[in-house]
Amino acid sequence: MSFDRSLKIAPSILSADFANFGQEIEAIEAQGCDWVHVDVMDGHFVPNLTFGPPLCKAIRKHIDTVMDVHLMIAPVDPYIDAFAEAGADILTAHLESGPHIHRTLQAIRGAGCKAGLALNPGTGVEDIDYLLDMVDLICVMTVNPGFGGQKFIHSQIDKVKKLRAMIGDRPIHIEIDGGVTPQTAPLVVDAGADVLVAGSAVFKGGSVDNPAPYGDNMRAIRAAVAG
């Protein structure tokens, strides 16, 4: 994975047809997505239960782009190797997911993955100064983690601006997760984000038998950002 700040759209398969993950992933890639985002939830750190390493391993062979795995779980450390072995390119852990996030980020990189750090809506940027050289991606949650289809939290735009200033010329992506639409995408990209996770905004109106709307939806987001 070479680094660049060009806009990337990462559809969340949480909004895909669970019975057809392989075909859904192939469809969104054919329609122009940049990354594939996998939301891992444990029913403990967040109020929902989704996917584990076996699912990631099963879908890996269908992914030609980047497998972006978001670990909304606590504890994280015991599962890092399993998700890395399942084929994750990026593993993102939450700042609050354990007592030693520095160690967690070290372990993610040690497992051969890019290291991501996720910040909840109520989390400030003050605690990440000493982590910036440990991360390849910072994921700003613009909804409270746990469910798709929630309303975008506008206060996070200022957080993105602060992060962009802190990052400077470091090769760190700023990813936005939650409530991304053609209306909100320009706001966060203007603030400094370069990776947009979108679930319902990409998958709405389409299916594996009719994937064209996926492409239309992603082009609408790109066009809004290009503005």
Side-chain angles (χ1 to χ4, degrees):
M1 279 178 62
S2 59
F3 180 85
D4 70 86
R5 291 198 193 281
S6 63
L7 178 66
K8 294 161 193 66
I9 295 180
S12 167
I13 63 169
L14 192 62
S15 295
D17 177 359
F18 282 24
N20 290 290
F21 272 143
Q23 290 174 279
E24 288 275 54
I25 288 165
E26 290 168 10
I28 57 174
E29 289 194 334
Q31 292 294 323
C33 80
D34 300 286
W35 294 2
V36 175
H37 190 82
V38 183
D39 287 306
V40 176
M41 307 181 190
D42 63 359
H44 163 69
F45 184 68
V46 294
N48 202 354
L49 193 62
T50 59
F51 320 122
L55 184 280
C56 290
K57 183 176 181 180
I59 64 175
R60 175 72 252 194
K61 61 179 176 288
H62 297 279
I63 298 174
D64 290 328
T65 56
V66 172
M67 189 179 193
D68 176 29
V69 179
H70 181 185
L71 299 176
M72 289 170 269
I73 64 176
V76 171
D77 293 9
Y79 301 97
I80 289 171
D81 287 343
F83 280 103
E85 290 165 10
D89 295 301
I90 303 167
L91 282 177
T92 296
H94 279 251
L95 184 67
E96 302 90 349
S97 62
H100 305 295
I101 190 64
H102 189 285
R103 178 184 294 158
T104 299
L105 295 169
Q106 281 182 319
I108 290 172
R109 282 188 167 178
C113 298
K114 297 288 188 182
L117 176 65
L119 305 178
N120 286 330
T123 304
V125 298
E126 302 78 17
D127 294 328
I128 70 169
D129 267 347
Y130 296 102
L131 299 172
L132 285 176
D133 293 322
M134 302 286 301
V135 299
D136 304 287
L137 176 148
I138 297 174
C139 175
V140 177
M141 296 300 302
T142 43
V143 299
N144 283 293
F147 295 98
Q150 296 183 73
K151 189 177 180 181
F152 181 88
I153 300 172
H154 283 263
S155 64
Q156 303 307 295
I157 296 169
D158 186 56
K159 184 186 292 183
V160 175
K161 292 177 181 177
K162 290 178 180 177
L163 282 171
R164 188 67 197 86
M166 291 172 68
I167 287 168
D169 60 0
R170 293 177 178 89
I172 299 172
H173 295 291
I174 298 179
E175 179 176 76
I176 303 299
D177 189 350
V180 170
T181 67
Q183 289 70 46
T184 58
L187 304 177
V188 290
V189 171
D190 286 347
D194 60 293
V195 182
L196 304 179
V197 175
S200 51
V202 167
F203 284 97
K204 66 180 180 183
S207 67
V208 292
D209 297 320
N210 178 32
Y214 301 163
D216 294 339
N217 294 336
M218 286 186 276
R219 282 188 291 274
I221 293 171
R222 293 188 199 277
V225 169

